[in-house]
Amino acid sequence: MGKISTSSYRRVSDHFEPDLVEDPAEQKKRRGHLEQIDYTIFAANQAVIAKTIHHVGIEDFQNLALSASKARSAWVDAAMSAARSRSPLTAEEVARLQLLRSAYDELSEAYEAMRRMVERGYLQFHKTLPNKG
């Protein structure tokens, strides 16, 4: 299994990768099929995402980054507060920390997903968003 590293996490690809030695014509044929599959997936992603999100701008990235930063800050602040008490954490404190960490993780993942959508051409990026008035 291949690993794809991004700035915040690793994704594992479960694509089958044969270790075959085959003739060049067969390799070319297989690459053609894989390119067709990849393009089909690209077109599906582009069509669905364009209908849902349409486009994003720098403000969208900034807002998502600020939300993730606030969530991380709240999570670490809660952990530091719990540690200052020098008492064992209660079940409620642990649950709160898990909830705060989960919020941060989800926002971070959403940021990475939005960035990948732009990078792969699924989602249009506009430097400035058109007026919505």
Side-chain angles (χ1 to χ4, degrees), residues 58-125:
I58 197 69
E59 290 176 20
D60 296 306
F61 279 95
Q62 182 180 20
N63 289 337
L64 201 46
L66 285 170
S67 293
S69 181
K70 289 175 185 176
R72 177 175 27 194
S73 210
W75 169 43
V76 171
D77 184 51
M80 290 171 48
S81 293
R84 281 187 203 108
S85 75
R86 298 187 184 202
S87 302
L89 294 178
T90 65
E92 292 80 21
E93 288 172 317
V94 171
R96 178 163 164 66
L97 286 173
Q98 288 173 334
L99 180 66
L100 291 169
R101 185 189 65 216
S102 178
Y104 164 65
D105 287 344
E106 290 302 322
L107 288 164
S108 295
E109 293 287 332
Y111 173 88
E112 289 296 330
M114 189 166 74
R115 188 180 185 289
R116 273 192 312 278
M117 286 183 222
V118 170
E119 181 180 51
R120 293 179 181 174
Y122 303 153
L123 184 59
Q124 288 187 5
F125 177 80

Side-chain angles (χ1 to χ4, degrees), residues 1 4 10-12 20 23 25 36-37 48 54 57 69-71 83 86 104 116 127:
M1 280 194 257
I4 300 169
R10 290 177 185 238
R11 289 186 300 147
V12 177
L20 302 175
D23 74 87
Q36 185 178 11
I37 290 166
V48 170
H54 308 292
S69 181
K70 289 175 185 176
R86 298 187 184 202
Y104 164 65
R116 273 192 312 278
K127 194 170 185 174

Side-chain angles (χ1 to χ4, degrees), residues 6-57:
T6 65
S7 61
S8 68
Y9 67 102
R10 290 177 185 238
R11 289 186 300 147
V12 177
S13 172
D14 62 353
H15 297 293
F16 174 68
E17 296 178 21
D19 210 9
L20 302 175
V21 178
E22 56 190 3
D23 74 87
E26 200 57 38
Q27 288 177 349
K28 185 175 181 180
K29 184 178 171 183
R30 180 172 285 116
R31 278 195 304 272
H33 291 150
L34 293 173
E35 285 178 14
Q36 185 178 11
I37 290 166
D38 288 344
Y39 181 77
T40 301
I41 292 167
F42 167 81
N45 274 296
Q46 193 176 45
V48 170
I49 291 167
K51 286 181 181 176
T52 306
I53 301 175
H54 308 292
H55 57 268
V56 293

